[in-house]
Amino acid sequence: MSKILDVQNLCKTYVIDSQSNNVLQNVNFSMEEGEFVSVMGPSGSGKSTLLYTISGMDSMTSGKVIFDGEDISALNKKKLSRLRLTKMGFIFQQMYMMKKLSIIDNIVLPGYQAKRKPRQEVTKDAESLMRRLGIIETADRYMTEVSGGQLQRASLCRALINSPRMLYADEPTGALNQKASLEVMNELVNANRAGTSVLMVTHSEKIASCSERVIYLVDGDIRGELVLGKMESEDELPVRERKLKNWLDELDW
């Protein structure tokens, strides 16, 4: 398999009132195409900053990020924006949707912007995704008219509308109850099984145990990695979760 992501000596420093805050410090890791990786660590360890920096949503101070064979730091804003639109999908804890648009209009918008398919075909793709994720009945509703779980699944539909190579997920289940969290995770696993690479930030051991590898971040530095392997069925979750918990305990987290 080929690498979809290669992060080399990545550093991110914020300067506030002449004081430097080194949020990421010489981070190095890579992902194979089709891999599902979770990033864990204490609050303030730089997990979200890592996600935003390697996806090009935030600038890096130094280092290099190679995504799908391209050095994102060498791309201008227009090319980087196009790369994110066509090859990356994003899911966040806060579901950033346009309140004045219906659910389906929010989902098709990135597809229309990409201009790779006729609008009618993009709409059909959106309806197909919504049926697959069990939310087709919400198509003409607005954000305030659906549940949190339905809204997050709509966010996943939006993230998948352009068939991205990579899904970046920042605490995608953080605002959901346990049932809705497992439903969303099931769909993330399904997307990964269909070939989409997934990099996810999470605090939840149960959620992270769905991934095949866990990276542990402390003070902007990777302190360890645990390989869990591909999850074949939900029946494996308790064993995987115990293995992850024991590993985290050994790290004194």
Side-chain angles (χ1 to χ4, degrees), residues 1 32 99 148:
M1 296 179 68
E32 299 294 323
K99 294 181 179 179

Side-chain angles (χ1 to χ4, degrees), residues 1-56:
M1 296 179 68
S2 59
K3 288 182 181 178
I4 185 70
L5 180 69
D6 190 15
V7 179
Q8 304 171 12
N9 299 314
L10 179 63
C11 296
K12 177 64 181 181
T13 301
Y14 292 104
V15 179
I16 302 175
D17 296 330
S18 300
Q19 298 294 317
S20 296
N21 181 15
N22 300 314
V23 183
L24 299 176
Q25 305 182 60
N26 295 312
V27 174
N28 291 274
F29 76 99
S30 61
M31 283 180 62
E32 299 294 323
E33 189 171 358
E35 194 175 10
F36 191 153
V37 176
S38 289
V39 180
M40 301 189 75
S43 295
S45 59
K47 300 184 299 297
S48 293
T49 300
L50 176 65
L51 205 67
Y52 299 149
T53 304
I54 63 178
S55 64

Side-chain angles (χ1 to χ4, degrees), residues 99-188:
K99 294 181 179 179
K100 293 185 178 180
L101 294 181
S102 67
I103 297 299
I104 193 167
D105 286 342
N106 270 285
I107 292 171
V108 299
L109 185 58
Y112 291 172
Q113 292 173 328
K115 297 180 180 178
R116 295 193 299 183
K117 295 180 179 180
R119 289 195 170 200
Q120 187 176 7
E121 189 173 344
V122 173
T123 301
K124 287 182 178 179
D125 289 344
E127 291 171 347
S128 177
L129 283 167
M130 294 182 78
R131 285 192 186 91
R132 197 174 84 202
L133 272 68
I135 56 168
I136 189 62
E137 74 280 0
T138 69
D140 296 323
R141 298 178 191 171
Y142 292 85
M143 287 182 62
T144 56
E145 300 173 328
V146 299
S147 69
Q150 289 172 323
L151 198 56
Q152 193 61 296
R153 278 180 280 173
S155 297
L156 181 53
C157 289
R158 181 184 58 185
L160 292 171
I161 194 65
N162 287 327
S163 302
R165 303 290 303 282
M166 172 78 84
L167 277 177
Y168 292 107
D170 188 12
E171 296 283 2
T173 64
L176 305 178
N177 61 35
Q178 184 174 353
K179 181 177 182 294
S181 294
L182 291 177
E183 288 174 350
V184 169
M185 277 310 304
N186 184 55
E187 296 305 333
L188 275 175

